[in-house]
Amino acid sequence: MKTLKLLDPRLSWALAIGAAYVAARALGLELPGGDALGLTGLALLGAFGHCDTLEGPVIQLARKALQTGNVNLVLPWVRAEDEDEIRHAFEHAQAVRKLGPEARELADTHFFETLVRIHRAGEGAPYTGLKPAGLDLGPAVPAADKALEDGAVEPVINLLTDAVREGVRRHFHAAYHHRKFDVNDVRAGRAYVDAYVPYVHYVEGLWDAATGAVGHHAEHGAHHAVHAAHAH
């Protein structure tokens, strides 16, 4: 899985804003910008999350572009340096579509594939083909899309906040259950470390997203866990 450093700045920004907003809500904090900032980040996450499906926003706009002859509908979804390639693919598709129903279907599919491939390359993500409509995207992406339709982000915030809260609790209880052990029982000590490290990384990751801080447990997590284990 690619890290944020390798992703297009738009996706990195969306992930940071969405995660920061949800994490802050779960921790009882407030971020500058309020719901407007959170809505923007979460909306972008939803768009990136299903951009390669036949019912996603990219393909829907591509269909409309081909029907209306207006390529500008899809150009915001690609980088400026890729615009010429998309324009060329669009013009080619428009010409082929005039040859008949079968040719139109082939031309549309080729344009969809080209657009999504270039769009995902701009995100720093591989192109793995178009995904069929009706794909199970989980609850978050549909909720993000519905929020945009309804103009209400609170259901998305509640959904993600509940997930974050449950995740913290799950990791906490796993670590707490193993925290007291005989120092001479190495197997029990390792069980504690195996639960402690994910717990601390999970909490720290949420905090880093919410505050923009740079954590240190990712590099020294095991050392800290062993030290903490022997302290009990």
Side-chain angles (χ1 to χ4, degrees):
M1 183 176 183
K2 295 179 180 295
T3 63
L4 291 182
K5 290 182 180 179
L6 300 179
L7 294 176
D8 182 275
R10 296 168 299 169
L11 182 54
S12 300
W13 181 82
L15 288 168
I17 293 299
Y21 191 70
V22 173
R25 287 295 299 266
L27 294 168
L29 303 175
E30 292 187 6
L31 291 177
D35 285 354
L37 186 63
L39 176 58
T40 302
L42 294 172
L44 281 174
L45 280 174
F48 281 118
H50 60 146
C51 61
D52 57 353
T53 68
L54 291 177
E55 59 189 352
V58 176
I59 300 301
Q60 292 302 310
L61 286 171
R63 293 185 192 280
K64 189 173 182 180
L66 289 170
Q67 291 168 1
T68 62
N70 187 0
V71 70
N72 290 332
L73 289 168
V74 298
L75 292 182
W77 291 87
V78 300
R79 297 173 299 182
E81 56 265 37
D82 296 323
E83 182 175 322
D84 287 345
E85 185 173 354
I86 293 301
R87 286 185 179 277
H88 176 74
F90 182 79
E91 292 171 359
H92 183 264
Q94 288 289 72
V96 174
R97 294 180 97 240
K98 299 175 182 179
L99 301 179
E102 293 184 2
R104 181 167 60 248
E105 183 176 350
L106 290 174
D108 288 2
T109 299
H110 182 264
F111 179 66
F112 297 159
E113 291 175 339
T114 301
L115 176 62
V116 171
R117 174 177 56 79
I118 293 175
H119 166 69
R120 289 186 64 81
E123 298 176 15
Y127 173 64
T128 57
L130 297 178
K131 306 301 186 298
L135 195 66
D136 183 4
L137 301 171
V141 170
D145 279 343
K146 191 172 189 304
L148 287 175
E149 295 173 6
D150 299 343
V153 72
E154 205 63 30
V156 183
I157 294 171
N158 292 337
L159 174 71
L160 298 179
T161 300
D162 288 346
V164 170
R165 185 181 293 110
E166 177 58 29
V168 172
R169 285 187 177 134
R170 183 175 66 255
H171 285 84
F172 164 77
H173 287 302
Y176 188 81
H177 176 73
H178 293 286
R179 74 186 184 93
K180 291 185 178 180
F181 58 88
D182 187 333
V183 70
N184 294 314
D185 189 342
V186 177
R187 178 178 295 180
R190 286 175 179 152
Y192 173 68
V193 170
D194 287 345
Y196 172 84
V197 172
Y199 164 62
V200 172
H201 286 179
Y202 188 82
V203 172
E204 187 176 41
L206 291 172
W207 180 257
D208 288 350
T211 64
V214 178
H216 61 280
H217 278 101
E219 182 178 354
H220 301 294
H223 171 75
H224 284 255
V226 172
H227 176 75
H230 285 296
H232 291 280

